């Protein structure tokens, strides 16, 4: 890629930092050039986030229908699976699986809820109200 | 307390950490392309049975940690690398090293890194940063992909050092044990061993999923994705391929360019004129990877999507495989003095 072809499409990262790209000058010698981002990458990332949002929305519907506990929604929003959530909370996977059931979740102690709240960066009240912290 | 440390921005995190730490420790010749080439960072593998973010794992680089280890080893510099069970022990070790004046490389997870934009935070645990100081209770951090330096609170740093999931860093830290210059002759020997290792990884590695055969394997898989997965998931897989190829920390097309830059920088040390032509082949390979990414974008954006478009996508990769095979074969046939 030639230096002047290094794409400059403003990405979420580009607003914070430019990225270093290796590219060639007029004599074919390598040099570096800063880039704001590349449309092809930006849309690939958008695609991944669309999918995450779809999964989270499906999870939210399940919670509202009483088929799953609010943890399912937070898990999807937090890009986690049962294994990863177990890793972060210190629970066993089978425990997390149980906590995903609405009735079990309702009976959870403050202490256990607090663990989940901390992992998701929210309060216990937010857990119950499906209020995800996007920051 | 702040160490006298120079932040260097790099295209890839582990290259950057390796370059900065070695430079700090007296290896004045080191650059990002040299670290990448001597460390034999160039690679390809497609792991169909491993999933991240609901898509397949496609890596364009060698395993995390190897670039640093191999580069140091090739330059006869011993390495300290530690993992911890206890968070307290991990923090104490880091503080002690900083007090001794050693900036330290840390493997961290990206998801809880506060200075990254939200869109880039995934549960990816093989990011590398350097901690080089401690000021008002905050750690000073040199993240090689950022233009400037950042700070993390003790809690924030602990959280990313003890990220969970695949490749969990477990507080991992590393640094060159010695502080001394190396000779140009040592750099030359490092370059030759790095090239040989790269050739071996791309041409001779057994099994169908790694090296040049891995690229061909992926090409043939892509041609089947549309029928096998349906258009929606096939599009997501292609988006994943492009992200693995181009995003920070993975950077496939980009890696081919860095390798081209490496071969050009290797030329004055080794006096092998052939390297300059082979560097151009890697430029061509990088360009092809990017062209393929543009085509993939056409598919995941929904502009393209017929079976013919998937075949074209696969053919791009077959073409890449040919170009890279030619380049690595040329490297293999060099008679080193």
């Amino acid at each position: 890629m030639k230096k002047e072809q290094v794409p400059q499409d403003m990405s979420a990262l580009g607003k914070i930092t430019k990225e270093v790209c290796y590219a060639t000058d007029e004599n074919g010698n390598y040099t570096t050039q800063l880039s704001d981002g590349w449309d092809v990458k930006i849309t690939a990332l958008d695609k991944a986030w669309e999918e995450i949002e779809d999964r989270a929305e499906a999870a939210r519907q399940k919670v509202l229908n009483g088929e799953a506990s609010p943890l399912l929604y937070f898990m999807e929003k937090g890009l986690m699976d049962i294994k990863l959530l177990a890793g972060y909370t210190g629970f066993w996977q089978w425990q997390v699986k149980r906590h995903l059931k609405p009735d079990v979740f309702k009976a959870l102690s403050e202490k256990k809820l607090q663990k989940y709240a901390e992992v998701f960066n929210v309060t216990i009240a937010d857990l119950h109200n499906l209020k995800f912290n996007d920051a | 307390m702040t160490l006298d440390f120079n932040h260097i921005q790099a295209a890839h995190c582990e290259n950057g950490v390796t370059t900065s730490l070695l430079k700090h420790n007296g290896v004045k010749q080191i650059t990002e392309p040299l670290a990448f080439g001597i460390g034999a960072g160039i690679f390809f593998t497609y792991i169909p049975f491993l999933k991240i973010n609901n898509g397949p794992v496609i890596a364009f680089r060698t395993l995390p940690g190897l670039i640093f280890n191999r580069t140091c080893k090739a330059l006869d510099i011993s390495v300290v690398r530690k993992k911890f069970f206890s968070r307290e022990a991990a923090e104490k070790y880091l503080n002690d090293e900083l007090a001794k004046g050693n900036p330290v490389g840390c493997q961290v997870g990206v998801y809880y890194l506060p200075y990254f934009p939200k869109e880039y935070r995934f549960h990816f645990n093989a990011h590398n940063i350097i901690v080089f100081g401690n000021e008002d209770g905050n750690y000073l951090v040199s993240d090689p992909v950022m233009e400037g330096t950042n700070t993390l609170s003790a809690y924030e740093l602990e959280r990313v050092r003890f990220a969970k999931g695949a490749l969990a860093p477990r507080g991992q830290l590393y640094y060159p044990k010695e502080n001394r210059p190396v000779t140009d002759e040592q750099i030359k020997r490092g370059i030759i061993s790095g090239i040989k290792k790269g050739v071996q990884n791309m041409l001779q590695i057994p099994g169908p999923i790694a090296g040049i055969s891995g690229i061909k394997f992926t090409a043939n898989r892509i041609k089947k994705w549309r029928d096998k997965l349906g258009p929606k998931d096939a599009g997501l897989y292609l988006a994943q391929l492009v992200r693995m190829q181009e995003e920070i920390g993975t950077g496939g097309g980009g890696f081919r360019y860095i390798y081209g830059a490496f071969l050009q920088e290797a030329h004055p040390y080794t006096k092998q004129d052939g390297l300059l032509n082979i560097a151009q082949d890697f430029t061509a390979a990088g360009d092809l990877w990017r062209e393929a990414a543009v085509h993939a974008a056409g598919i995941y954006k929904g502009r393209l999507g017929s079976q013919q478009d998937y075949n074209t996508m696969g053919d791009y990769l077959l073409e890449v495989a040919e170009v890279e095979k030619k380049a690595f074969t040329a490297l293999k046939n060099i008679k080193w003095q």
Side-chain angles (χ1 to χ4, degrees):
Chain A
M1 181 172 46
K2 296 207 171 62
K3 203 174 139 189
E4 56 279 7
Q5 292 167 340
V6 169
Q8 302 292 350
D9 307 324
M10 187 50 81
S11 67
L13 188 68
K15 289 175 198 148
I16 295 166
T17 183
K18 290 175 190 287
E19 296 169 64
V20 170
C21 290
Y22 284 78
T24 51
D25 65 13
E26 57 278 8
N27 301 318
N29 293 325
Y30 269 98
T31 171
T32 56
Q33 174 76 20
L34 291 172
S35 164
D36 278 328
W38 187 26
D39 174 57
V40 165
K41 287 204 290 190
I42 297 167
T43 44
L45 192 58
D46 288 348
K47 197 81 199 162
W49 279 101
E50 262 171 42
E51 168 71 4
I52 291 161
E53 288 304 329
D54 284 354
R55 294 172 69 100
E57 182 51 33
R60 205 176 70 93
Q61 283 307 327
K62 269 185 148 177
V63 177
L64 295 178
N65 296 341
E67 296 161 43
S69 84
L71 289 180
L72 181 70
Y73 171 70
F74 283 90
M75 193 171 88
E76 292 290 359
K77 268 294 231 195
L79 325 186
M80 294 189 185
D81 54 18
I82 288 172
K83 201 172 161 193
L84 194 52
L85 188 51
Y88 271 111
T89 52
F91 295 123
W92 297 99
Q93 288 189 46
W94 61 264
Q95 288 179 296
V96 174
K97 218 177 267 179
R98 267 189 86 235
H99 299 165
L100 287 171
K101 294 180 183 165
D103 294 340
V104 178
F105 180 79
K106 271 178 209 144
L108 283 183
S109 68
E110 284 278 293
K111 210 174 135 196
K112 286 183 177 157
L113 287 174
Q114 187 52 45
K115 275 195 184 173
Y116 284 113
E118 197 180 316
V119 169
F120 294 120
N121 260 337
V122 294
T123 64
I124 292 178
D126 290 340
L127 278 185
H128 288 289
N129 300 327
L130 299 183
K131 211 173 134 221
F132 188 81
N133 178 8
D134 249 335
Chain B
M1 182 211 46
T2 315
L3 308 179
D4 177 23
F5 173 81
N6 241 341
H7 171 71
I8 300 172
Q9 194 187 8
H12 174 254
C13 65
E14 193 178 336
N15 293 342
V17 167
T18 306
T19 308
S20 297
L21 287 181
L22 283 176
K23 230 187 183 80
H24 183 85
N25 281 29
V27 184
K28 62 176 193 317
Q29 301 99 321
I30 201 76
T31 61
E32 176 175 13
L34 282 178
F36 183 66
I38 295 174
I42 198 156
F43 195 47
F44 182 92
T45 183
Y46 171 55
I47 310 177
F49 48 86
L50 248 186
K51 294 266 163 79
I52 43 171
N53 306 317
N54 305 302
V57 172
I58 301 155
F60 289 80
R61 46 154 301 170
T62 189
L63 274 175
L66 277 183
I67 295 177
F68 180 77
N69 280 2
R70 282 186 192 149
T71 305
C72 291
K73 194 176 168 212
L75 301 176
D76 291 324
I77 292 172
S78 14
V79 166
V80 180
R81 187 181 282 275
K82 286 203 177 303
K83 283 186 184 181
F84 301 89
F85 284 108
S86 126
R87 293 168 186 240
E88 291 74 31
E91 191 177 356
K92 182 170 181 308
Y93 196 99
L94 175 66
N95 289 340
D96 289 350
E97 284 309 312
L98 291 175
K100 279 191 245 166
N102 289 334
V104 168
C106 290
Q107 186 186 329
V108 297
V110 172
Y111 189 75
Y112 289 110
L113 266 185
Y115 56 80
F116 259 31
K118 176 187 150 280
E119 293 85 345
Y120 281 76
R121 291 194 210 153
F122 285 86
H123 294 282
F124 172 70
N125 286 335
H127 189 53
N128 294 277
I129 60 175
I130 296 169
V131 181
F132 67 97
N134 204 328
E135 220 172 58
D136 311 326
N138 286 322
Y139 286 95
L140 302 170
V141 166
S142 159
D143 185 322
V145 301
M146 308 292 279
E147 284 177 281
T149 57
N150 296 90
T151 57
L152 290 177
S153 71
Y155 172 73
E156 287 165 341
L157 181 61
E158 180 188 293
R159 202 173 205 194
V160 294
R161 286 180 76 196
F162 282 90
K164 304 288 185 185
L167 301 169
R170 290 180 28 215
Q172 189 160 169
L173 55 76
Y174 55 91
Y175 52 93
K177 202 174 175 183
E178 294 147 288
N179 193 330
R180 60 172 164 79
V182 302
T183 62
D184 284 359
E185 183 57 29
Q186 278 178 301
I187 298 272
K188 179 187 161 184
R189 273 188 278 131
I191 287 168
I192 296 173
S193 74
I195 289 177
K196 284 183 176 166
K197 185 85 203 156
V199 166
Q200 198 188 344
N201 282 343
M202 291 302 285
L203 292 182
Q204 288 146 332
I205 198 162
I209 61 170
I212 301 292
S213 35
I215 303 177
K216 289 185 188 159
F217 182 86
T218 313
N220 294 324
R221 281 294 179 108
I222 288 173
K223 293 185 182 181
K224 293 177 194 151
W225 278 355
R226 188 172 176 273
D227 276 350
K228 208 176 142 207
L229 306 162
K232 182 170 177 271
D233 282 355
L236 280 170
Y237 271 39
L238 282 176
Q240 170 114 329
L241 172 82
V242 169
R243 279 179 49 229
M244 297 261 185
Q245 179 182 324
E246 294 295 335
E247 283 304 350
I248 305 166
T250 48
F255 280 154
R256 273 56 195 167
Y257 295 135
I258 302 176
Y259 208 72
F262 160 64
L263 295 178
Q264 285 186 354
E265 289 189 21
H267 180 249
Y269 289 100
T270 58
K271 312 276 189 307
Q272 285 282 352
D273 289 341
L275 292 180
L276 297 177
N277 285 330
I278 306 172
Q280 287 180 6
D281 291 339
F282 279 99
T283 308
D287 288 344
L288 262 175
W289 276 115
R290 287 177 76 93
E291 250 180 72
V294 172
H295 184 78
I299 297 176
Y300 58 70
K301 279 190 205 167
R303 191 167 49 76
L304 309 172
S306 68
Q307 181 54 41
Q308 185 52 43
D309 295 323
Y310 280 85
N311 292 346
T312 308
M313 185 66 207
D315 290 339
Y316 264 114
L317 266 66
L318 291 176
E319 204 181 334
V320 167
E322 280 315 308
V323 173
E324 294 197 4
K325 188 177 175 186
K326 178 177 158 254
F328 281 106
T329 309
L331 284 175
K332 189 182 167 196
N333 291 335
I334 289 180
K335 301 270 178 284
W336 302 102
Q337 284 118 27

